[in-house]
Amino acid sequence: MKKIFFALFITASIASCDVDRFPYGSMDSETISSNPEASLDALLNGAYAQMKSWSDPMHRLGEYAGDNMMIRGSSTDAFYEFISFSRTPNNYRLTNFWDASYKAIAQSSNIIKMVEEGKDAVTDSKLGECYYIRGLMYFYLVRAFGKPYYQSPETNLGLPIVNGTPDDVVNNLELPDRSTVKETYEQIINDLKKAETMITVDRGPIFASKEAAQALLSRVYLYMSGTYETPNREYAQLAVDYGTKVINSNKYNLLSREDFMKYNTFTPENNDETIFAIKRVASEFSGYDHYYGVGGMYANIGGMGWGEMFASAKYIDLLNETGRNDWRPDHYKIVDARAAFIEPTYRKDETTGGYTEVFRFIKKENNSLNYVQAVVTRSGSTITANEGTNTFTLIPVDASQGVYRIIYTDGSSYTGVLDYFINLNRVYPQFYITKASREGEDSHLHSPVISRLGEVYLNRAEAYAKLGNYSASLTDLNAIRNRSIINGGYATLNASNAADLIDKERQLELAYQAERSFDVFRNGKSLKREFPGPHRQFEEIKATDFRVIYFIPQSAINSYSGTLTQNPTS
């Protein structure tokens, strides 16, 4: 941690230039200390710059540990530990996340220390942005390294609270050990409330705003609101209150269904639903750098990207629950708008130029789940599918949607769909994901979304349900549901189904935004990934499992000036 709390502070190395580009630069400490107000914009841009490098490992550790995606096979890349739950303290991606988080905390904290509050509204507003950045970093850190709030927050370890350069870095650099989860959340709330009161100038969704602080507070209090079985009504009410502030501000609008299906293509500045996003621009990437962005693992677009991670069968089943989404080019029909972010890679026959019709289903064999794409033959009204030497007659389940079932050789019954052959990566059909790609261009440019209005409605829906106000909860839930599925709103919501329906809608809506695994565990639920992929398919990861949180990077512990306690290893 000396590399954060010593070298960074002594040299006052700060990224400084236009927020749209942020090439890395520096300012000497004499220039900063002599006139901090004049340097404020450059200093603040430096704090925003840190969030760009932070956003990549943030996404990977949050999303890969969930059940929305699968990978084509095991990998030597450090991110595979996020997928496999094989936690270690020596993971460079985890270290990058920790370091970038604390650099942003350090830079925003030092601005708060250097720039006097109360000089003018514009300066105060920018100081408020610093409080937001710091609160945001602590929140994302504590949900990664601290146990879910409902589990003894008074005693479980949270984070070391180090807000900027210590007063005497030469003679007394003894930094504090980790605070409790409860104390860390108190720090987060204090920062975000300070941001809420201080930010009076709205500079758009690529900068912190009053509503960005309120939106994040709605999520923070939701994380503190307990489980559905044992809710904390005080915090649930505060989640409602802050969600209402954002919604009633009338600054943001839910996109129409048609526009929502193109959400990923809009820049944050041109998206009425985005509250705060980390701005990226194409000039930050050169050549094949797009391979290494978040979207590059989810798809290959225009020759860019590895395309080694695909939508999970579980997520696809959720998308198809109301009605089949048909991605075939000549049958294209999207029932759930969220299916627009999935793009299967259909293969054309080299000889005929046409597609090969198959019956795709998931088969269980040797205690493993795998896809089968059996070539279809039609003879009158009879449809058969051929898998090797086996031929199966398709039995209609919903012929209008191409849903059929077969009786397998071992007597098992499998349900699947008529579709076209999808290209395989190893043995898995490539269901590409484009939600983190195509911003303003045909590649993987993406400005990670931190808060948007759709999430705020879902935050409030869950909080209302935990308060027992199921009518209000249903209204908010259906605002999102009906946007994605025409006339797809739920008829009723009550104590028996609220947890399942709200959880399902959050999974559908917030997929590939690094929320899923945290949503599961904070409500005391287990993660189950019973779908094809190299992961442990039938493992149940409970919210009390020590692997729900990550180890503190060992490099941080080794270089820390003081005691930095590691997370439990069992």
Side-chain angles (χ1 to χ4, degrees):
M1 289 296 291
K2 288 179 184 176
K3 60 187 170 184
I4 296 176
F5 293 120
F6 190 77
L8 177 71
F9 296 158
I10 296 300
T11 61
S13 179
I14 304 290
S16 60
C17 72
D18 186 79
V19 72
D20 282 352
R21 294 179 58 85
F22 292 137
Y24 195 83
S26 64
M27 301 182 71
D28 62 79
S29 56
E30 183 178 349
T31 300
I32 295 170
S33 60
S34 63
N35 193 354
E37 287 80 7
S39 306
L40 177 56
D41 284 342
L43 294 168
L44 182 54
N45 282 347
Y48 281 111
Q50 290 297 342
M51 298 173 70
K52 296 193 176 192
S53 56
W54 165 86
S55 65
D56 182 283
M58 175 276 290
H59 177 97
R60 297 181 196 274
L61 68 87
E63 192 62 48
Y64 295 178
D67 53 4
N68 296 323
M69 51 71 66
M70 58 155 289
I71 189 171
R72 67 169 189 162
S74 60
S75 173
T76 58
D77 193 293
F79 66 56
Y80 192 69
E81 291 182 5
F82 306 154
I83 300 169
S84 64
F85 280 81
S86 54
R87 305 292 187 237
T88 72
N90 298 306
N91 183 306
Y92 82 89
R93 291 188 183 274
L94 205 58
T95 300
N96 290 345
F97 173 70
W98 178 275
D99 289 352
S101 299
Y102 270 103
K103 285 178 183 178
I105 288 169
Q107 291 179 228
S108 56
S109 296
N110 283 345
I111 295 170
I112 292 168
K113 285 186 174 184
M114 289 187 294
V115 177
E116 183 180 350
E117 182 181 335
K119 285 196 170 184
D120 59 76
V122 172
T123 299
D124 278 0
S125 189
K126 291 178 180 178
L127 285 174
E129 293 180 40
C130 294
Y131 282 105
Y132 172 84
I133 292 170
R134 190 169 74 183
L136 175 70
M137 292 297 104
Y138 276 130
F139 176 61
Y140 274 73
L141 280 166
V142 76
R143 70 179 194 170
F145 297 105
K147 292 183 178 180
Y149 196 87
Y150 81 92
Q151 298 175 17
S152 305
E154 300 87 356
T155 55
N156 285 332
L157 292 178
L159 301 171
I161 304 298
V162 183
N163 292 333
T165 310
D167 293 333
D168 187 356
V169 296
V170 176
N171 301 309
N172 183 18
L173 194 59
E174 185 72 16
L175 299 174
D177 197 356
R178 297 168 66 186
S179 300
T180 65
V181 167
K182 184 175 186 291
E183 290 167 339
T184 305
Y185 270 79
E186 288 171 351
Q187 169 73 40
I188 294 163
I189 290 168
N190 288 338
D191 278 346
L192 294 178
K193 285 186 174 180
K194 186 76 170 177
E196 179 191 17
T197 59
M198 291 190 72
I199 302 175
T200 56
V201 180
D202 189 340
R203 300 204 286 159
I206 64 173
F207 298 94
S209 64
K210 176 181 179 179
E211 289 75 24
Q214 293 168 341
L216 192 55
L217 278 165
S218 79
R219 195 196 312 171
V220 169
Y221 282 122
L222 193 67
Y223 272 57
M224 300 170 71
S225 68
T227 66
Y228 284 94
E229 293 76 19
T230 57
N232 183 307
R233 294 180 60 86
E234 176 189 356
Y235 295 137
Q237 184 60 57
L238 285 165
V240 167
D241 293 344
Y242 276 96
T244 300
K245 287 182 179 183
V246 177
I247 292 167
N248 287 353
S249 73
N250 295 319
K251 285 189 174 182
Y252 312 95
N253 298 293
L254 291 177
L255 297 184
S256 67
R257 184 178 192 272
E258 293 72 21
D259 282 344
F260 176 74
M261 292 165 69
K262 299 179 289 185
Y263 200 109
N264 57 315
T265 68
F266 299 133
T267 62
E269 303 93 321
N270 294 313
N271 194 320
D272 287 344
E273 190 167 328
T274 299
I275 299 170
F276 178 67
I278 298 169
K279 176 69 174 177
R280 306 305 301 268
V281 293
S283 58
E284 294 169 352
F285 301 92
S286 61
Y288 277 72
D289 283 356
H290 275 306
Y291 264 93
Y292 300 95
V294 168
M297 286 304 298
Y298 291 141
N300 181 294
I301 299 173
M304 291 283 187
W306 303 105
E308 295 181 1
M309 293 179 178
F310 318 125
S312 70
K314 179 177 181 178
Y315 189 69
I316 292 169
D317 284 347
L318 284 179
L319 289 172
N320 289 332
E321 192 177 69
T322 303
R324 179 189 175 184
N325 297 279
D326 198 335
W327 291 286
R328 290 176 293 179
D330 50 355
H331 292 76
Y332 194 76
K333 180 183 179 182
I334 296 299
V335 175
D336 189 321
R338 282 125 353 168
F341 306 121
I342 309 300
E343 295 184 8
T345 57
Y346 292 114
R347 186 184 71 187
K348 286 188 175 182
D349 185 278
E350 292 182 1
T351 303
T352 66
Y355 296 102
T356 301
E357 188 175 30
V358 298
F359 176 65
R360 189 174 55 257
F361 64 100
I362 294 173
K363 177 179 67 174
K364 184 175 182 180
E365 188 174 45
N366 299 324
N367 204 36
S368 179
L369 299 171
N370 289 292
Y371 283 101
V372 175
Q373 297 192 102
V375 176
V376 162
T377 301
R378 293 177 179 266
S379 178
S381 60
T382 301
I383 308 174
T384 57
N386 303 296
E387 181 206 20
T389 59
N390 300 318
T391 299
F392 308 102
T393 299
L394 272 57
I395 305 166
V397 175
D398 186 344
S400 66
Q401 298 196 73
V403 181
Y404 291 80
R405 68 183 179 91
I406 61 170
I407 305 300
Y408 203 66
T409 53
D410 62 0
S412 299
S413 176
Y414 293 116
T415 299
V417 295
L418 287 176
D419 205 349
Y420 294 151
F421 187 90
I422 297 174
N423 280 315
L424 301 178
N425 198 324
R426 294 189 179 171
V427 296
Y428 303 113
Q430 297 179 145
F431 286 94
Y432 280 169
I433 301 159
T434 61
K435 198 173 185 181
S437 303
R438 290 203 170 120
E439 183 182 312
E441 58 177 41
D442 193 27
S443 189
H444 295 295
L445 183 63
H446 172 61
S447 295
V449 176
I450 300 300
S451 294
R452 61 182 175 89
L453 190 61
E455 182 219 338
V456 175
Y457 272 102
L458 291 172
N459 292 349
R460 196 170 71 169
E462 181 178 329
Y464 271 137
K466 288 177 175 176
L467 291 169
N469 189 344
Y470 296 110
S471 176
S473 178
L474 181 62
T475 298
D476 282 347
L477 191 62
N478 279 344
I480 302 304
R481 183 78 175 173
N482 282 320
R483 191 258 297 271
S484 285
I485 304 172
I486 298 171
N487 298 321
Y490 299 113
T492 59
L493 196 72
N494 52 52
S496 67
N497 67 3
D500 289 339
L501 296 185
I502 294 170
D503 178 75
K504 177 173 67 177
E505 212 57 35
R506 286 186 73 90
Q507 182 171 7
L508 284 165
E509 183 74 10
L510 304 179
Y512 317 115
Q513 290 181 216
E515 299 296 324
R516 174 61 181 164
S517 60
F518 301 112
D519 272 350
V520 172
F521 298 133
R522 68 177 174 80
N523 270 319
K525 305 299 182 183
S526 295
L527 184 72
K528 299 177 182 179
R529 298 182 290 178
E530 296 182 6
F531 50 79
H535 58 276
R536 296 175 182 172
Q537 297 175 359
F538 300 100
E539 181 181 29
E540 179 182 353
I541 303 166
K542 297 183 179 180
T544 53
D545 193 304
F546 77 98
R547 296 171 298 166
V548 163
I549 56 176
Y550 294 97
F551 289 128
I552 304 294
Q554 191 60 44
S555 60
I557 292 175
N558 292 343
S559 58
Y560 195 70
S561 291
T563 299
L564 184 56
T565 303
Q566 183 58 278
N567 277 325
T569 57
S570 63

PDB file of all heavy atoms in Angstrom, residues 252-270:
ATOM      1  N   TYR A 252     -34.441  12.456 -15.639  1.00  0.00           N
ATOM      2  CA  TYR A 252     -34.134  11.260 -16.413  1.00  0.00           C
ATOM      3  C   TYR A 252     -35.423  10.574 -16.832  1.00  0.00           C
ATOM      4  O   TYR A 252     -36.461  10.710 -16.181  1.00  0.00           O
ATOM      5  CB  TYR A 252     -33.270  10.293 -15.582  1.00  0.00           C
ATOM      6  CG  TYR A 252     -32.112  10.988 -14.913  1.00  0.00           C
ATOM      7  CD1 TYR A 252     -32.215  11.450 -13.598  1.00  0.00           C
ATOM      8  CD2 TYR A 252     -30.936  11.238 -15.612  1.00  0.00           C
ATOM      9  CE1 TYR A 252     -31.167  12.125 -12.991  1.00  0.00           C
ATOM     10  CE2 TYR A 252     -29.882  11.918 -15.019  1.00  0.00           C
ATOM     11  CZ  TYR A 252     -30.000  12.365 -13.706  1.00  0.00           C
ATOM     12  OH  TYR A 252     -28.965  13.044 -13.122  1.00  0.00           O
ATOM     13  N   ASN A 253     -35.338   9.850 -17.912  1.00  0.00           N
ATOM     14  CA  ASN A 253     -36.507   9.142 -18.428  1.00  0.00           C
ATOM     15  C   ASN A 253     -36.128   7.713 -18.798  1.00  0.00           C
ATOM     16  O   ASN A 253     -35.025   7.469 -19.315  1.00  0.00           O
ATOM     17  CB  ASN A 253     -37.057   9.839 -19.683  1.00  0.00           C
ATOM     18  CG  ASN A 253     -37.516  11.256 -19.411  1.00  0.00           C
ATOM     19  OD1 ASN A 253     -38.488  11.478 -18.698  1.00  0.00           O
ATOM     20  ND2 ASN A 253     -36.804  12.228 -19.966  1.00  0.00           N
ATOM     21  N   LEU A 254     -37.043   6.784 -18.541  1.00  0.00           N
ATOM     22  CA  LEU A 254     -36.847   5.443 -19.055  1.00  0.00           C
ATOM     23  C   LEU A 254     -36.923   5.507 -20.581  1.00  0.00           C
ATOM     24  O   LEU A 254     -37.848   6.109 -21.130  1.00  0.00           O
ATOM     25  CB  LEU A 254     -37.916   4.491 -18.524  1.00  0.00           C
ATOM     26  CG  LEU A 254     -37.878   4.151 -17.032  1.00  0.00           C
ATOM     27  CD1 LEU A 254     -39.062   3.255 -16.676  1.00  0.00           C
ATOM     28  CD2 LEU A 254     -36.573   3.468 -16.657  1.00  0.00           C
ATOM     29  N   LEU A 255     -35.960   4.926 -21.248  1.00  0.00           N
ATOM     30  CA  LEU A 255     -36.001   4.902 -22.700  1.00  0.00           C
ATOM     31  C   LEU A 255     -37.193   4.091 -23.181  1.00  0.00           C
ATOM     32  O   LEU A 255     -37.684   3.197 -22.478  1.00  0.00           O
ATOM     33  CB  LEU A 255     -34.721   4.282 -23.265  1.00  0.00           C
ATOM     34  CG  LEU A 255     -33.407   5.010 -22.994  1.00  0.00           C
ATOM     35  CD1 LEU A 255     -32.263   4.296 -23.712  1.00  0.00           C
ATOM     36  CD2 LEU A 255     -33.470   6.465 -23.413  1.00  0.00           C
ATOM     37  N   SER A 256     -37.662   4.390 -24.358  1.00  0.00           N
ATOM     38  CA  SER A 256     -38.693   3.571 -24.969  1.00  0.00           C
ATOM     39  C   SER A 256     -38.135   2.170 -25.204  1.00  0.00           C
ATOM     40  O   SER A 256     -36.915   1.953 -25.177  1.00  0.00           O
ATOM     41  CB  SER A 256     -39.135   4.166 -26.301  1.00  0.00           C
ATOM     42  OG  SER A 256     -38.074   4.089 -27.249  1.00  0.00           O
ATOM     43  N   ARG A 257     -39.000   1.228 -25.452  1.00  0.00           N
ATOM     44  CA  ARG A 257     -38.551  -0.132 -25.728  1.00  0.00           C
ATOM     45  C   ARG A 257     -37.578  -0.161 -26.909  1.00  0.00           C
ATOM     46  O   ARG A 257     -36.526  -0.817 -26.851  1.00  0.00           O
ATOM     47  CB  ARG A 257     -39.761  -1.031 -26.020  1.00  0.00           C
ATOM     48  CG  ARG A 257     -39.416  -2.506 -26.218  1.00  0.00           C
ATOM     49  CD  ARG A 257     -40.688  -3.324 -26.447  1.00  0.00           C
ATOM     50  NE  ARG A 257     -40.415  -4.759 -26.348  1.00  0.00           N
ATOM     51  CZ  ARG A 257     -40.024  -5.537 -27.355  1.00  0.00           C
ATOM     52  NH1 ARG A 257     -39.859  -5.001 -28.556  1.00  0.00           N
ATOM     53  NH2 ARG A 257     -39.805  -6.829 -27.182  1.00  0.00           N
ATOM     54  N   GLU A 258     -37.913   0.550 -27.958  1.00  0.00           N
ATOM     55  CA  GLU A 258     -37.083   0.562 -29.157  1.00  0.00           C
ATOM     56  C   GLU A 258     -35.706   1.162 -28.878  1.00  0.00           C
ATOM     57  O   GLU A 258     -34.678   0.639 -29.318  1.00  0.00           O
ATOM     58  CB  GLU A 258     -37.777   1.333 -30.282  1.00  0.00           C
ATOM     59  CG  GLU A 258     -39.039   0.672 -30.819  1.00  0.00           C
ATOM     60  CD  GLU A 258     -40.220   0.741 -29.853  1.00  0.00           C
ATOM     61  OE1 GLU A 258     -40.208   1.628 -28.958  1.00  0.00           O
ATOM     62  OE2 GLU A 258     -41.138  -0.091 -29.971  1.00  0.00           O
ATOM     63  N   ASP A 259     -35.674   2.265 -28.137  1.00  0.00           N
ATOM     64  CA  ASP A 259     -34.386   2.888 -27.828  1.00  0.00           C
ATOM     65  C   ASP A 259     -33.595   2.071 -26.815  1.00  0.00           C
ATOM     66  O   ASP A 259     -32.364   2.017 -26.878  1.00  0.00           O
ATOM     67  CB  ASP A 259     -34.596   4.312 -27.309  1.00  0.00           C
ATOM     68  CG  ASP A 259     -34.883   5.302 -28.418  1.00  0.00           C
ATOM     69  OD1 ASP A 259     -34.629   4.961 -29.597  1.00  0.00           O
ATOM     70  OD2 ASP A 259     -35.375   6.412 -28.130  1.00  0.00           O
ATOM     71  N   PHE A 260     -34.304   1.450 -25.870  1.00  0.00           N
ATOM     72  CA  PHE A 260     -33.603   0.633 -24.885  1.00  0.00           C
ATOM     73  C   PHE A 260     -32.840  -0.510 -25.555  1.00  0.00           C
ATOM     74  O   PHE A 260     -31.742  -0.877 -25.131  1.00  0.00           O
ATOM     75  CB  PHE A 260     -34.580   0.063 -23.854  1.00  0.00           C
ATOM     76  CG  PHE A 260     -33.922  -0.866 -22.868  1.00  0.00           C
ATOM     77  CD1 PHE A 260     -33.117  -0.365 -21.860  1.00  0.00           C
ATOM     78  CD2 PHE A 260     -34.102  -2.242 -22.953  1.00  0.00           C
ATOM     79  CE1 PHE A 260     -32.489  -1.216 -20.955  1.00  0.00           C
ATOM     80  CE2 PHE A 260     -33.483  -3.096 -22.055  1.00  0.00           C
ATOM     81  CZ  PHE A 260     -32.673  -2.580 -21.054  1.00  0.00           C
ATOM     82  N   MET A 261     -33.394  -1.055 -26.612  1.00  0.00           N
ATOM     83  CA  MET A 261     -32.728  -2.148 -27.327  1.00  0.00           C
ATOM     84  C   MET A 261     -31.447  -1.673 -28.019  1.00  0.00           C
ATOM     85  O   MET A 261     -30.650  -2.487 -28.481  1.00  0.00           O
ATOM     86  CB  MET A 261     -33.699  -2.771 -28.342  1.00  0.00           C
ATOM     87  CG  MET A 261     -34.856  -3.507 -27.681  1.00  0.00           C
ATOM     88  SD  MET A 261     -36.242  -3.872 -28.793  1.00  0.00           S
ATOM     89  CE  MET A 261     -35.514  -5.104 -29.865  1.00  0.00           C
ATOM     90  N   LYS A 262     -31.234  -0.363 -28.055  1.00  0.00           N
ATOM     91  CA  LYS A 262     -30.002   0.209 -28.606  1.00  0.00           C
ATOM     92  C   LYS A 262     -29.205   0.947 -27.533  1.00  0.00           C
ATOM     93  O   LYS A 262     -28.340   1.770 -27.850  1.00  0.00           O
ATOM     94  CB  LYS A 262     -30.348   1.173 -29.751  1.00  0.00           C
ATOM     95  CG  LYS A 262     -31.082   0.530 -30.928  1.00  0.00           C
ATOM     96  CD  LYS A 262     -31.406   1.541 -32.020  1.00  0.00           C
ATOM     97  CE  LYS A 262     -32.508   2.504 -31.566  1.00  0.00           C
ATOM     98  NZ  LYS A 262     -32.934   3.431 -32.634  1.00  0.00           N
ATOM     99  N   TYR A 263     -29.496   0.654 -26.271  1.00  0.00           N
ATOM    100  CA  TYR A 263     -28.883   1.388 -25.147  1.00  0.00           C
ATOM    101  C   TYR A 263     -27.368   1.443 -25.276  1.00  0.00           C
ATOM    102  O   TYR A 263     -26.732   2.476 -25.055  1.00  0.00           O
ATOM    103  CB  TYR A 263     -29.259   0.714 -23.825  1.00  0.00           C
ATOM    104  CG  TYR A 263     -29.107   1.591 -22.606  1.00  0.00           C
ATOM    105  CD1 TYR A 263     -30.231   2.065 -21.930  1.00  0.00           C
ATOM    106  CD2 TYR A 263     -27.861   1.966 -22.109  1.00  0.00           C
ATOM    107  CE1 TYR A 263     -30.117   2.869 -20.806  1.00  0.00           C
ATOM    108  CE2 TYR A 263     -27.731   2.784 -21.000  1.00  0.00           C
ATOM    109  CZ  TYR A 263     -28.864   3.224 -20.348  1.00  0.00           C
ATOM    110  OH  TYR A 263     -28.750   4.039 -19.241  1.00  0.00           O
ATOM    111  N   ASN A 264     -26.778   0.324 -25.642  1.00  0.00           N
ATOM    112  CA  ASN A 264     -25.320   0.234 -25.705  1.00  0.00           C
ATOM    113  C   ASN A 264     -24.710   1.118 -26.785  1.00  0.00           C
ATOM    114  O   ASN A 264     -23.518   1.423 -26.727  1.00  0.00           O
ATOM    115  CB  ASN A 264     -24.901  -1.227 -25.941  1.00  0.00           C
ATOM    116  CG  ASN A 264     -25.517  -1.818 -27.191  1.00  0.00           C
ATOM    117  OD1 ASN A 264     -26.705  -1.649 -27.444  1.00  0.00           O
ATOM    118  ND2 ASN A 264     -24.732  -2.527 -27.977  1.00  0.00           N
ATOM    119  N   THR A 265     -25.504   1.555 -27.744  1.00  0.00           N
ATOM    120  CA  THR A 265     -24.960   2.344 -28.859  1.00  0.00           C
ATOM    121  C   THR A 265     -24.935   3.836 -28.565  1.00  0.00           C
ATOM    122  O   THR A 265     -24.271   4.593 -29.280  1.00  0.00           O
ATOM    123  CB  THR A 265     -25.774   2.114 -30.147  1.00  0.00           C
ATOM    124  OG1 THR A 265     -27.089   2.672 -30.004  1.00  0.00           O
ATOM    125  CG2 THR A 265     -25.883   0.621 -30.464  1.00  0.00           C
ATOM    126  N   PHE A 266     -25.648   4.272 -27.527  1.00  0.00           N
ATOM    127  CA  PHE A 266     -25.719   5.702 -27.208  1.00  0.00           C
ATOM    128  C   PHE A 266     -24.546   6.113 -26.318  1.00  0.00           C
ATOM    129  O   PHE A 266     -24.175   5.397 -25.390  1.00  0.00           O
ATOM    130  CB  PHE A 266     -27.023   6.039 -26.483  1.00  0.00           C
ATOM    131  CG  PHE A 266     -28.267   5.755 -27.275  1.00  0.00           C
ATOM    132  CD1 PHE A 266     -29.336   5.073 -26.705  1.00  0.00           C
ATOM    133  CD2 PHE A 266     -28.383   6.163 -28.589  1.00  0.00           C
ATOM    134  CE1 PHE A 266     -30.483   4.804 -27.421  1.00  0.00           C
ATOM    135  CE2 PHE A 266     -29.533   5.901 -29.326  1.00  0.00           C
ATOM    136  CZ  PHE A 266     -30.582   5.221 -28.734  1.00  0.00           C
ATOM    137  N   THR A 267     -23.987   7.284 -26.579  1.00  0.00           N
ATOM    138  CA  THR A 267     -23.019   7.840 -25.637  1.00  0.00           C
ATOM    139  C   THR A 267     -23.775   8.275 -24.382  1.00  0.00           C
ATOM    140  O   THR A 267     -24.968   8.586 -24.444  1.00  0.00           O
ATOM    141  CB  THR A 267     -22.285   9.041 -26.244  1.00  0.00           C
ATOM    142  OG1 THR A 267     -23.246  10.077 -26.524  1.00  0.00           O
ATOM    143  CG2 THR A 267     -21.538   8.649 -27.518  1.00  0.00           C
ATOM    144  N   PRO A 268     -23.119   8.311 -23.217  1.00  0.00           N
ATOM    145  CA  PRO A 268     -23.827   8.703 -21.991  1.00  0.00           C
ATOM    146  C   PRO A 268     -24.509  10.061 -22.107  1.00  0.00           C
ATOM    147  O   PRO A 268     -25.620  10.257 -21.594  1.00  0.00           O
ATOM    148  CB  PRO A 268     -22.720   8.719 -20.934  1.00  0.00           C
ATOM    149  CG  PRO A 268     -21.666   7.817 -21.461  1.00  0.00           C
ATOM    150  CD  PRO A 268     -21.717   7.957 -22.959  1.00  0.00           C
ATOM    151  N   GLU A 269     -23.848  10.996 -22.809  1.00  0.00           N
ATOM    152  CA  GLU A 269     -24.402  12.350 -22.923  1.00  0.00           C
ATOM    153  C   GLU A 269     -25.692  12.378 -23.730  1.00  0.00           C
ATOM    154  O   GLU A 269     -26.473  13.336 -23.617  1.00  0.00           O
ATOM    155  CB  GLU A 269     -23.389  13.295 -23.577  1.00  0.00           C
ATOM    156  CG  GLU A 269     -22.052  13.387 -22.852  1.00  0.00           C
ATOM    157  CD  GLU A 269     -21.022  12.417 -23.391  1.00  0.00           C
ATOM    158  OE1 GLU A 269     -21.377  11.269 -23.725  1.00  0.00           O
ATOM    159  OE2 GLU A 269     -19.848  12.814 -23.495  1.00  0.00           O
ATOM    160  N   ASN A 270     -25.920  11.358 -24.539  1.00  0.00           N
ATOM    161  CA  ASN A 270     -27.109  11.305 -25.389  1.00  0.00           C
ATOM    162  C   ASN A 270     -28.081  10.214 -24.961  1.00  0.00           C
ATOM    163  O   ASN A 270     -28.826   9.685 -25.780  1.00  0.00           O
ATOM    164  CB  ASN A 270     -26.692  11.089 -26.846  1.00  0.00           C
ATOM    165  CG  ASN A 270     -25.920  12.263 -27.406  1.00  0.00           C
ATOM    166  OD1 ASN A 270     -26.319  13.413 -27.244  1.00  0.00           O
ATOM    167  ND2 ASN A 270     -24.805  11.986 -28.050  1.00  0.00           N
TER     168      ASN A 270
END
